[in-house]
Amino acid sequence: MLSKIGYRIKTIIFLKSLRLRIFVIVMLAGIVPAVCLRYGIMNNYEEQAVEQRIATVQNQLMVLANHLISNNYLTNYQSKEQSFQTSKEVINAELEMLSSLYEGRVLIINNNYKVIKDTYGISEGKIIISEEVLKCFLGQNSSHYDKEHGYIEMTTPIVRTIRNADDSGKNSNKAASGEIVGVMLTSVTGENIVATLDKMNRKADILELILVVIIISLAIVLSGVLTRPFHKITLSINEVKEGYSDKEISVPDYIETERIADAFNQLLGRMKVLDDSRQEFVANVSHELKTPMASIKVLAESLLSQEDVPAELYREFMEDMASEIDRENQIITDLLALVKMDKKAQALNIAALDINHLTELILKRLRPLARKKDVEVVFESMRPVVAEVDEVKLSIVMTNLVENAIKYNREHGWVKVTLDADHQYFSFRVSDSGMGIPQEELGHIYERFYRVDKSHSKEIGGTGLGLAITRSAVLAHKGTINVESTEGEGSVFVVKIPLTYIA
Ligand code: ADP
């Protein structure tokens, strides 16, 4: 069963191959015109040959018909007169010669439809009232080629010319008219036409066979050559995939392959950038995690190296170690939050939420931190806002922005949170009177582990992950985040999120 399915799949793949299609097209383009040409030539030859044969025989029959008339063959055929008998014999001989020349048969029919002469001698005296004979008496010659039996049948009128005297003018003219007094029904062989056709057919068969062989070879070669660039591209991509090469691929044979190669190279470039940033991230994570561990180790070792350490020193070192462990814990918590946020597949837990209420809750939670630094936090709500958001993720956004505004503020400073909305978006704006961010650093603050002033940040206690998490959460809501800042004066972060969630 499985092998059957495998066979089917292989057949379908084979039928879908470009090579097979090119092969079929070349075959059709070569063979169909050749076959048409052959049948055209054969049919044309046959028609011409038959027409020519009819014309030649008709000519001779006309001459014979004149002889018949001039010798009164039709009217006197029963006469025993010596002179008529002689001319009758002459005409009969002519008839015999004609029929033997064309391997045919001539019947002479008089106006009573009676056969008065049959070169085969079997139908004499019989009456023939066939359609062709009747038509011929009415003046319509006919000829018919019987392809199957290989003979041509034709009728020829025997016309007697009547001359009428016209006496009206000085120069008396003689007008002539004709009367059909008999019909010659002739059949001649068309076998030599058939034989020539057979010969031509045999030659055409051989030629066609040679042509088919040439076209098949051409189709095989062409289909191979034309599809080669696509094999090249597959090989190059495979080399990159298997890791033998990380160079950009180039197959300039066709515009199409060039475009595929370009698209692949761009993808490769993106993958390299992703890989580089992943490596950088891992290096940064390791470094950030190692720093508190190294401090803990130094603290522990210095305690161990001393004997009779006073209890206060012990306590002080232990407190330092605990704060390093807290920091380590904070980094790990932030990292986990970031990883969660980056998981694209993770669905948002969207619900309609009172944003004013959420903001108040968050500010309430952060006020003790502000109080510690003597920073005043003001909330200005322009209107009630209800939006479809993920509560947890939006809380992270608000908390991070307000926490930063407090953390990177000066003593006795202020933080102002403004909530506003239009018909499409609500905006969450956090401005502070803090240290600000240098203009050249603004582009980097959303990068993971990026801190403007490392020593300062460390003392404040940041991990450099807060804004990266914030930005991911905003983007997950299809929102935007912007910052404006003046060094030494303060910063303004504005987050805009659609009121209705767009999936
Ligand atoms: P951290 O955990 O260090 O605060 P963030 O990603 O939240 O990391 O912020 C990155 C850097 O941006 C911070 O180290 C800080 O230097 C700067 N920053 C963020 N918010 C503010 C702000 N309101 N005022 C001044 N600097 C800020």
Side-chain angles (χ1 to χ4, degrees):
M1 182 69 190
L2 272 176
S3 68
K4 252 189 179 178
I5 295 171
Y7 176 75
R8 278 237 166 125
I9 292 171
K10 268 187 191 163
T11 316
I12 292 168
I13 291 172
F14 175 68
L15 289 179
K16 280 175 83 177
S17 91
L18 177 65
R19 188 168 184 181
L20 177 76
R21 285 170 196 207
I22 294 175
F23 180 82
V24 171
I25 290 170
V26 175
M27 286 281 288
L28 289 180
I31 289 173
V32 171
V35 171
C36 292
L37 206 70
R38 176 199 174 145
Y39 281 99
I41 289 174
M42 292 298 178
N43 279 342
N44 200 29
Y45 166 76
E46 197 174 16
E47 259 171 42
Q48 294 282 327
V50 170
E51 266 175 34
Q52 211 173 341
R53 169 63 55 95
I54 290 171
T56 320
V57 177
Q58 281 283 23
N59 264 345
Q60 299 202 20
L61 286 171
M62 299 282 241
V63 173
L64 206 63
N66 285 339
H67 279 191
L68 293 180
I69 289 296
S70 54
N71 288 301
N72 288 330
Y73 188 87
L74 290 175
T75 43
N76 290 344
Y77 70 95
Q78 274 174 333
S79 159
K80 301 268 187 272
E81 205 180 302
Q82 184 57 45
S83 64
F84 177 70
Q85 283 300 327
T86 321
S87 59
K88 188 179 171 185
E89 270 166 28
V90 172
I91 289 173
N92 281 350
E94 273 180 47
L95 277 170
E96 292 301 334
M97 211 173 75
L98 187 78
S99 38
S100 70
L101 185 65
Y102 294 109
E103 290 173 42
R105 179 183 185 185
V106 184
L107 299 180
I108 297 176
I109 302 157
N110 69 7
N111 48 7
N112 295 323
Y113 307 110
K114 194 171 183 181
V115 179
I116 56 166
K117 174 70 188 167
D118 175 4
T119 51
Y120 276 18
I122 39 178
S123 297
E124 277 167 15
K126 286 186 184 164
I127 301 290
I128 292 187
I129 313 178
S130 69
E131 194 188 335
E132 287 82 26
V133 173
L134 288 176
K135 272 188 182 167
C136 192
F137 271 112
L138 292 173
Q140 291 173 24
N141 283 11
S142 66
S143 56
H144 162 73
Y145 174 48
D146 186 334
K147 211 174 194 173
E148 210 177 310
H149 300 103
Y151 69 87
I152 307 164
E153 202 176 67
M154 64 194 98
T155 52
T156 319
I158 305 169
V159 184
R160 184 194 296 143
T161 318
I162 305 161
R163 291 184 190 281
N164 303 321
D166 180 359
D167 307 323
S168 58
K170 249 189 192 175
N171 303 322
S172 64
N173 285 328
K174 290 205 172 159
S177 64
E179 183 197 357
I180 300 171
V181 290
V183 165
M184 278 194 268
L185 182 62
T186 317
S187 58
V188 292
T189 181
E191 260 171 20
N192 47 353
I193 298 174
V194 176
T196 316
L197 266 178
D198 275 351
K199 233 189 222 172
M200 283 174 78
N201 262 327
R202 271 198 298 278
K203 278 192 181 162
D205 280 344
I206 297 169
L207 275 177
E208 226 166 57
L209 194 74
I210 296 171
L211 197 75
V212 166
V213 172
I214 292 174
I215 288 171
I216 290 180
S217 323
L218 199 73
I220 293 173
V221 173
L222 265 182
S223 60
V225 169
L226 291 177
T227 51
R228 195 169 298 152
F230 293 99
H231 290 306
K232 264 201 233 166
I233 225 166
T234 317
L235 271 178
S236 309
I237 291 177
N238 277 343
E239 271 177 17
V240 175
K241 195 178 81 188
E242 314 276 320
Y244 300 127
S245 154
D246 58 354
K247 275 186 268 154
E248 290 201 337
I249 64 167
S250 161
V251 184
D253 305 47
Y254 301 136
I255 294 178
E256 287 79 4
T257 52
E258 219 173 306
R259 283 191 191 141
I260 296 174
D262 281 351
F264 178 77
N265 289 337
Q266 279 173 19
L267 179 73
L268 199 67
R270 254 192 77 188
M271 277 164 57
K272 272 186 191 154
V273 169
L274 281 178
D275 197 43
D276 288 351
S277 84
R278 190 182 53 88
Q279 277 180 12
E280 195 189 314
F281 180 61
V282 172
N284 285 345
V285 169
S286 318
H287 176 78
E288 294 296 326
L289 292 177
K290 267 177 83 180
T291 317
M293 298 280 260
S295 308
I296 295 168
K297 194 164 186 244
V298 169
L299 289 167
E301 274 174 355
S302 64
L303 278 182
L304 286 173
S305 62
Q306 292 175 47
E307 276 174 29
D308 301 329
V309 185
E312 302 84 67
L313 194 67
Y314 224 105
R315 190 177 179 78
E316 198 190 319
F317 273 35
M318 278 307 191
E319 275 169 3
D320 286 351
M321 280 160 88
S323 84
E324 289 298 338
I325 289 168
D326 280 346
R327 183 170 162 70
E328 182 98 32
N329 198 19
Q330 186 59 49
I331 294 172
I332 291 169
T333 312
D334 281 1
L335 271 175
L336 286 177
L338 190 69
V339 170
K340 260 192 187 172
M341 208 70 77
D342 278 355
K343 265 195 189 166
K344 289 242 167 67
Q346 198 202 352
L348 294 180
N349 201 359
I350 299 291
L353 209 73
D354 180 346
I355 308 294
N356 297 66
H357 181 64
L358 183 69
T359 316
E360 270 158 15
L361 267 180
I362 284 160
L363 294 187
K364 195 175 160 196
R365 247 186 264 149
L366 290 172
R367 274 210 170 90
L369 181 74
R371 225 170 286 134
K372 242 195 224 169
K373 282 202 77 172
D374 195 19
V375 172
E376 188 193 2
V377 180
V378 187
F379 175 38
E380 188 181 22
S381 169
M382 311 305 272
R383 65 194 77 238
V385 179
V386 175
E388 291 174 6
V389 290
D390 180 314
E391 185 175 356
V392 178
K393 292 203 168 83
L394 189 68
S395 305
I396 293 175
V397 171
M398 292 174 164
T399 311
N400 276 344
L401 292 181
V402 181
E403 201 179 320
N404 277 353
I406 299 169
K407 277 192 317 192
Y408 301 106
N409 220 315
R410 57 179 164 79
E411 288 273 322
H412 320 300
W414 53 264
V415 173
K416 188 175 169 192
V417 177
T418 317
L419 186 64
D420 198 359
D422 56 22
H423 63 288
Q424 243 185 321
Y425 295 91
F426 74 88
S427 63
F428 180 80
R429 184 188 157 96
V430 182
S431 39
D432 64 59
S433 59
M435 57 185 71
I437 305 161
Q439 210 61 33
E440 64 278 8
E441 309 275 354
L442 279 177
H444 300 289
I445 54 172
Y446 302 108
E447 289 170 15
R448 294 150 174 178
F449 296 113
Y450 193 86
R451 276 161 289 177
V452 175
D453 179 347
K454 300 233 173 214
S455 57
H456 193 90
S457 288
K458 200 178 171 194
E459 160 197 318
I460 292 172
T463 59
L465 291 170
L467 284 179
I469 297 169
T470 304
R471 187 166 172 272
S472 285
V474 172
L475 294 184
H477 284 88
K478 311 268 182 332
T480 55
I481 178 164
N482 285 302
V483 58
E484 275 173 29
S485 188
T486 315
E487 225 182 329
E489 281 184 23
S491 316
V492 183
F493 281 86
V494 183
V495 169
K496 271 180 127 187
I497 287 176
L499 291 168
T500 320
Y501 177 70
I502 313 154

